[in-house]
Amino acid sequence: MKKKLIAGNWKMNGGLTANESLVKALLAGLKSPSCQVALCAPSIYLSQLQLLLAGGPVDLGAQDMSQHEAGAFTGEISGAMLKEFGIRYCIVGHSERRQYHGETDALVAEKAQRALACGITPIVCVGETLSEREAGKTEEVVKRQLAAVIHTNGHCISEIVVAYEPVWAIGTGKTATTEQAQQVHAVLRGQLKAASAHADRIQILYGGSMNASNAAQLLSQPDIDGGLVGGASLKPVDFLSIIDAAR
Ligand code: PGA
């Protein structure tokens, strides 16, 4: 059976001292996790985390990368550069990138493709806004977002991780109900199945105010294969209990 994946998304948080104590507390509480665990940290701290996590059970992830291979793209970081620091995952198309940095479905698809070409597993985020949900467009929106990635990546699609993150649930304390989440996950699974014979092995994570008290219920759903955890990943005790719930 495929393992679940709990990935922390630190967003633009952290500092050299705080990172060290957070990682040490996490590793101390994490003897042999029964799920996969990853931390997606700001790029500038990846080399620090590479050292702190070396040889342990936690994989390292980035939060974004360039769709380009190399060259005159000031401020950007390439997949090859990330790979040099032992990065296994890279979040692409997080709603904050879509919202504040104008990332389109096509760009997100290109980033996913570049990640795969570099041997990095993209964690592709999809999710509807509150007004899209209220207008009954949830399925249409997430399918459109995922379709772009499927179209660009063809048979490699079974190598990605998908994260369903309803935008209205991110950082708001409002979690999708287990039924709402499972319903969308089933839609995404169906779409992946139509594109790949190996869709069952694709991990579909839920993200959006996942915490120590709602994780077990969300993770018990048949198509919820893990979590992309923002706020709670900054608190070792909370993050550890989410990992514990992901059996
Ligand atoms: P949150 O963030 O857990 O703080 O809601 C999740 C995310 O944005 O990945």
Side-chain angles (χ1 to χ4, degrees), residues 14-175:
L16 289 172
T17 312
N19 298 347
E20 185 166 345
S21 44
L22 203 162
V23 169
K24 284 188 172 159
L26 182 63
L27 292 176
L30 200 65
K31 293 299 172 235
S32 46
S34 48
C35 65
Q36 296 175 298
V37 181
L39 290 178
C40 299
S43 302
I44 192 136
Y45 295 130
L46 291 174
S47 64
Q48 181 198 18
L49 262 70
Q50 185 186 26
L51 294 176
L52 289 169
L53 297 175
V58 178
D59 288 313
L60 192 49
Q63 298 174 6
D64 182 38
M65 58 176 275
S66 173
Q67 73 275 30
H68 300 291
E69 195 173 344
F73 302 102
T74 302
E76 294 285 358
I77 291 179
S78 75
M81 293 170 189
L82 293 176
K83 197 67 192 164
E84 283 193 303
F85 289 88
I87 275 39
R88 173 159 182 193
Y89 297 101
C90 184
I91 298 172
V92 298
H94 190 280
S95 63
E96 287 150 16
R97 303 279 329 161
R98 293 179 190 259
Q99 189 179 349
Y100 306 133
H101 300 271
E103 294 199 2
T104 61
D105 295 341
L107 177 64
V108 173
E110 275 183 63
K111 289 188 174 193
Q113 187 178 36
R114 177 67 58 201
L116 289 170
C118 295
I120 293 169
T121 301
I123 301 178
V124 176
C125 300
V126 299
E128 81 287 2
T129 62
L130 184 58
S131 59
E132 288 164 340
R133 173 162 283 269
E134 285 171 350
K137 292 193 169 148
T138 299
E139 259 192 46
E140 178 188 324
V141 169
V142 298
K143 282 173 107 172
R144 189 202 70 221
Q145 292 171 332
L146 185 58
V149 180
I150 291 173
H151 176 74
T152 306
N153 289 278
H155 67 274
C156 294
I157 202 68
S158 61
E159 305 301 319
I160 74 168
V161 170
V162 176
Y164 168 55
E165 299 206 306
V167 178
W168 49 271
I170 295 177
T172 57
K174 285 187 204 153
T175 321

Side-chain angles (χ1 to χ4, degrees), residues 163-193:
Y164 168 55
E165 299 206 306
V167 178
W168 49 271
I170 295 177
T172 57
K174 285 187 204 153
T175 321
T177 64
T178 44
E179 294 75 23
Q180 284 172 326
Q182 166 56 30
Q183 198 182 3
V184 178
H185 280 237
V187 166
L188 296 171
R189 179 85 62 207
Q191 193 180 0
L192 292 164
K193 276 191 176 156

